[in-house]
Amino acid sequence: MLSLQKIVPEIGGIALREIEPREPGPGEISIRVGAAGICGTDMQIYNWAPRMARRMALPRVLGHEVSGTVEAVGSGVEVPAVGDRVSLESHIYCGRCRSCRLDRAHLCEETRYPGIDIDGAFAEYLTVPASIAWVNPPDLPHETAAMLEPFGIAVHACLAGAGVSGSTVLVNGCGPIGLMTVAVARALGALRIVACDIAPLRLRAAETMGADRAVDAGNEDPAAVAADMTGGAGVDVGIEFSGTEAGFNAVFQALAKGGDFRLVGAPPSAIPVDFTRWLLKCPAMQNIHGRLIWQTWQRATELLAAGAVDIEPVRSHTLPLSEAPRGFELIRDGEALKPVLVP
């Protein structure tokens, strides 16, 4: 079968290769891939960020945002069944550690990932633990269902803390998950939504997804815009996706006293924080890591099934697997939001 692999520990270093699919062992399922999305983590691997360099064994089939059809099941698997259409939770949780026993499997101390620790979804077939499969409605298109995993982060971010209903919300960083967050916040009753980025493509998409203001953070101060929209009070909820020190500080500056600061994109290195200022503003800090398993998946699926959120505008390109390297190049060159690969 055709697959896209990271083969060389350097920037780029990817190649299309033919490999044999692996039969499912006990507790595993084999999936015929319907569609798979290229995400920010895949781009980190493409750019060979140090964090990935430390944990990956090469060659490795990339990809973890996926929808497909169960082709075969190993011994002991009752759910899902052959023929079910599934998406995958990307956190392979152990089920034994303290976090898992406390119903916090998304914080599993032994978490592994498809496309990093085991072969992933940029292939015609993949084999994974049955425990991470979410059974989709049969009429949900694979191209949409492949985005359920990142969509779940947006849902988690909007439901965390005090939620977003009746609130003014700042979304800082309008990559695919930030854009989905704009749409979820709108669906869940946000009063006003400010979306910030520096890329024109993303800012235009933010308006399409429901932002009231799309702010070019390279030319405007997000905190000043937030103050203007709120009579000087600041936003009730600030959600940081950019993963930069400037973005972290901009969200804090824009936040109202006692507001919710929700951190999704982590800076790559330590940044200074003035905790005296934090104490004076007294925000509630919410750290958003993945999705709540399986609560977020249920909410996310219901939002899509009800037509409350349309995430299709985020899928900017649909490419055959044979053109997968082009999807990475489109993201690198700022010409794509979310390329989806179809074997």
Side-chain angles (χ1 to χ4, degrees):
M1 67 174 181
L2 187 64
S3 69
L4 180 76
Q5 300 184 11
K6 180 77 175 185
I7 60 172
V8 182
E10 61 185 29
I11 294 175
I14 60 175
L16 291 162
R17 285 185 166 182
E18 291 284 343
I19 60 172
E20 289 296 318
R22 183 171 68 83
E23 292 296 318
E28 293 184 324
I29 58 173
S30 175
I31 299 169
R32 183 174 73 252
V33 174
I38 302 176
C39 81
T41 299
D42 298 315
M43 289 305 299
Q44 289 180 32
I45 296 169
Y46 179 86
N47 291 317
W48 205 236
R51 181 167 64 91
M52 299 304 171
R54 286 195 295 268
R55 75 180 290 167
M56 288 185 70
L58 302 182
R60 175 69 70 215
V61 179
L62 301 182
H64 61 267
E65 296 180 3
V66 60
S67 173
T69 304
V70 178
E71 191 86 355
V73 301
S75 62
V77 175
E78 296 182 0
V79 179
V82 172
D84 282 345
R85 295 166 71 100
V86 298
S87 296
L88 297 184
E89 166 58 49
S90 60
H91 292 183
I92 304 174
Y93 52 94
C94 72
R96 301 180 301 273
C97 70
R98 186 172 187 271
S99 292
C100 285
R101 292 196 301 268
L102 290 173
D103 197 27
R104 296 198 294 256
H106 67 299
L107 302 178
C108 173
E109 296 158 25
E110 304 295 332
T111 301
R112 297 181 300 135
Y113 302 88
I116 295 175
D117 301 293
I118 66 172
D119 281 341
F122 295 162
E124 296 175 76
Y125 295 87
L126 80 157
T127 299
V128 295
S131 60
I132 64 170
W134 172 262
V135 178
N136 288 317
D139 59 346
L140 186 65
H142 284 308
E143 292 84 356
T144 303
M147 297 188 287
L148 258 177
E149 190 263 7
F151 180 57
I153 300 175
V155 174
H156 185 185
C158 286
L159 291 174
V164 294
S165 179
S167 297
T168 300
V169 179
L170 168 67
V171 176
N172 190 64
C174 293
I177 300 174
L179 292 171
M180 293 179 189
T181 301
V182 170
V184 175
R186 177 61 67 207
L188 295 181
L191 184 63
R192 286 163 294 192
I193 303 170
V194 184
C196 298
D197 206 283
I198 58 174
L201 175 66
R202 292 179 171 189
L203 291 169
R204 290 193 298 271
E207 292 179 331
T208 299
M209 299 300 283
D212 297 291
R213 287 279 299 272
V215 177
D216 181 348
N219 294 313
E220 289 187 271
D221 178 8
V225 173
D228 179 63
M229 293 182 68
T230 59
V235 298
D236 303 302
V237 178
I239 311 178
E240 159 56 10
F241 286 96
S242 74
T244 65
E245 180 176 349
F248 184 96
N249 289 327
V251 172
F252 175 79
Q253 291 285 355
L255 201 63
K257 282 196 170 185
D260 268 17
F261 188 111
R262 301 181 194 167
L263 181 63
V264 186
S269 58
I271 64 174
V273 176
D274 183 345
F275 279 105
T276 298
R277 294 174 62 220
W278 273 69
L279 283 168
L280 291 172
K281 184 165 277 193
C282 205
M285 182 74 169
Q286 308 286 335
N287 296 292
I288 309 301
H289 181 69
R291 298 139 301 279
L292 303 181
I293 307 169
W294 292 96
Q295 300 96 309
T296 302
W297 284 86
Q298 184 65 42
R299 294 293 192 93
T301 303
E302 290 173 354
L303 283 167
L304 292 180
V309 177
D310 179 13
I311 60 175
E312 279 304 302
V314 176
R315 177 165 60 95
S316 58
H317 297 76
T318 303
L319 303 171
L321 181 60
S322 59
E323 296 181 20
R326 179 168 170 254
F328 285 79
E329 293 161 5
L330 286 167
I331 296 174
R332 179 198 63 195
D333 296 339
E335 298 176 9
L337 297 171
K338 170 71 70 179
V340 171
L341 307 176
V342 177

